[in-house]
Amino acid sequence: MGIAKNARIYVAGHRGLVGSAIWRELQAQGHTQLIGRTRAELDLLDAAAVAKFYAAEKPDYVFVAAAKVGGIQANNTQPAVFLYENLAVQNNLIHGAHVAGVKKLLFLGSSCIYPKLAPQPLREDALLSGPLEPTNEWYAIAKIAGIKMCQAYRRQYGCDFISAMPTNMYGPNDNYDLQGSHVLPALIRKFHEAKSRGDATVTCWGTGAPMREFLYADDLARACVFLMENYSDEQFINVGFGSDLTIKELAETVRRIIGFKGEIVWDSSKPDGTPRKLMDSSRLFALGWRPQVLLKEGIKLAYEDFKKRYGA
Ligand code: GFB
């Protein structure tokens, strides 16, 4: 079920962390007809514009890596934006793909779809088995709707639309805005700037006790292409690294890699979020996929990318 090298492949969100990694992977695999649109070129919130784009470009395959994303603070303070924009973008892309007769579509969700206190590691069948984590339930509800949309279009129209649920991601082209970003890019920036300024301390959010699992974007990209070629079940599938660590351990690791000599201070007025969200990725591992980039190695690569983009 390989994708032909000259197939027309649309990567929605091709400038983002995940979309740009999928784009790199497809290029590396020799795919020649990649389609991408910047936000200025195509407003994914505009259903008519998306329909027109699909009709003109007629992609065979679609990767839905376009989404309104952000870390705990952005999710917690902009519930309306996270719910509305994600629902609209995915509705337009998924419904539009059906109308345009797209051969296959991969929708990307998130590990936050699982209930806050679901048994760990998180298995796919934990979906909708309990209440969500409040700091990101708006984003989670949109992503759950996206999964259901793919399943519904498969059942009613026979569309080959699949969904993958990645764990917390990091890597090149991440967002380093300290109010909006996820924890890993935030830590890279905070330790880098503190070291440059000669600060005595770096302040991190929460208690440091929550545990998180991290996957390097290029690993996720390899999984996405692999799934596009080898997976066509209605059941969505987890994509994780396989182990997690505390935010405290993560902060220590980033501190050492960057070489900041000062101390870490914890600001417990900021939310911790969900206590743990380690994915059970055994269904994907059983198909033969494995992550390749270890956390320390990945953080070094992400730090190189940060310095390249924002100056040493
Ligand atoms: O990555 P993060 O923002 O999101 O935060 P979630 C993870 C943990 O790191 C939380 C702590 O316990 C934060 O309190 N943390 C420590 C920090 N220092 C910082 C910092 O400087 N910045 C940030 N951002 N966090 C997101 C969801 O949850 O996970 C999204 O909000 C999405 O919806 C994503 O699903 C994968 O892991 O808590």
Side-chain angles (χ1 to χ4, degrees), residues 69-76 82 109-113 133 135-137 139-140 143 166-169 177-187 190 203-212 214 247 250-251 266-267 270-274 277:
V69 298
I72 193 163
Q73 184 83 345
N75 268 271
N76 207 16
F82 274 80
S110 161
S111 58
C112 69
I113 59 158
E133 153 63 31
T135 53
N136 56 32
E137 66 174 302
Y139 181 70
K143 290 298 186 181
T167 189
N168 284 37
M169 305 303 309
D177 168 65
L178 289 179
Q179 292 312 309
S181 78
H182 288 102
V183 60
L184 231 168
L187 294 179
K190 284 180 175 179
T203 303
C204 297
W205 294 354
T207 61
M211 299 190 76
R212 293 290 184 273
F214 296 93
I247 295 298
L250 178 76
W266 294 93
D267 173 4
K270 291 284 197 303
D272 266 347
T274 199
K277 47 176 171 179

Side-chain angles (χ1 to χ4, degrees), residues 21-299:
I22 294 174
W23 188 278
R24 283 195 297 281
E25 178 61 20
L26 290 167
Q27 272 186 329
Q29 292 196 17
H31 292 283
T32 55
Q33 297 213 62
L34 303 187
I35 304 164
R37 289 289 182 278
T38 62
R39 194 166 301 205
E41 290 163 345
L42 175 62
D43 179 5
L44 296 174
L45 295 169
D46 180 343
V50 173
K52 200 169 145 200
F53 159 78
Y54 269 133
E57 292 297 331
K58 297 187 175 44
D60 300 306
Y61 297 89
V62 175
F63 290 90
V64 180
K68 170 71 188 172
V69 298
I72 193 163
Q73 184 83 345
N75 268 271
N76 207 16
T77 53
Q78 302 171 58
V81 172
F82 274 80
L83 187 57
Y84 167 69
E85 291 198 5
N86 283 302
L87 285 173
V89 165
Q90 72 203 32
N91 276 350
N92 294 341
L93 287 171
I94 297 170
H95 179 73
H98 159 57
V99 172
V102 165
K103 221 180 256 173
K104 189 162 180 178
L105 173 146
L106 170 77
F107 172 71
L108 281 156
S110 161
S111 58
C112 69
I113 59 158
Y114 291 112
K116 178 182 176 104
L117 300 176
Q120 308 279 327
L122 299 157
R123 286 160 42 106
E124 287 90 347
D125 59 14
L127 184 74
L128 294 175
S129 61
L132 296 163
E133 153 63 31
T135 53
N136 56 32
E137 66 174 302
W138 318 94
Y139 181 70
I141 289 282
K143 290 298 186 181
I144 293 169
I147 295 172
K148 293 293 174 190
M149 185 117 174
C150 290
Q151 293 176 338
Y153 277 63
R154 173 179 294 276
R155 286 196 189 183
Q156 188 171 342
Y157 304 124
C159 298
D160 192 358
F161 293 174
I162 60 172
S163 302
M165 296 308 116
T167 189
N168 284 37
M169 305 303 309
Y170 70 104
N173 301 319
D174 213 335
N175 165 19
Y176 289 94
D177 168 65
L178 289 179
Q179 292 312 309
S181 78
H182 288 102
V183 60
L184 231 168
L187 294 179
I188 289 177
R189 176 167 172 185
K190 284 180 175 179
F191 285 113
H192 174 82
E193 290 182 349
K195 183 185 165 186
S196 315
R197 288 191 299 253
D199 293 353
T201 60
V202 159
T203 303
C204 297
W205 294 354
T207 61
M211 299 190 76
R212 293 290 184 273
E213 179 189 26
F214 296 93
L215 184 69
Y216 192 64
D218 294 60
D219 271 334
L220 173 62
R222 283 184 276 272
C224 289
V225 176
F226 175 83
L227 289 168
M228 194 63 114
E229 295 196 307
N230 297 291
Y231 189 82
S232 279
D233 287 2
E234 179 182 302
Q235 172 63 56
F236 64 88
I237 189 160
N238 287 344
V239 187
F241 180 76
S243 62
D244 58 355
L245 75 175
T246 64
I247 295 298
K248 233 174 219 164
E249 290 166 330
L250 178 76
E252 264 311 314
T253 306
V254 177
R255 189 181 73 82
R256 272 197 303 272
I257 287 171
I258 292 181
F260 172 70
K261 301 278 189 286
E263 262 181 64
I264 301 172
V265 176
W266 294 93
D267 173 4
S268 55
S269 72
K270 291 284 197 303
D272 266 347
T274 199
R276 193 178 186 197
K277 47 176 171 179
L278 175 63
M279 291 230 171
D280 180 337
S281 304
S282 55
R283 290 183 60 245
L284 178 58
F285 288 5
L287 297 176
W289 177 88
R290 286 288 183 289
Q292 297 174 11
V293 183
L294 298 176
L295 184 61
K296 276 185 196 154
E297 190 191 323
I299 293 173

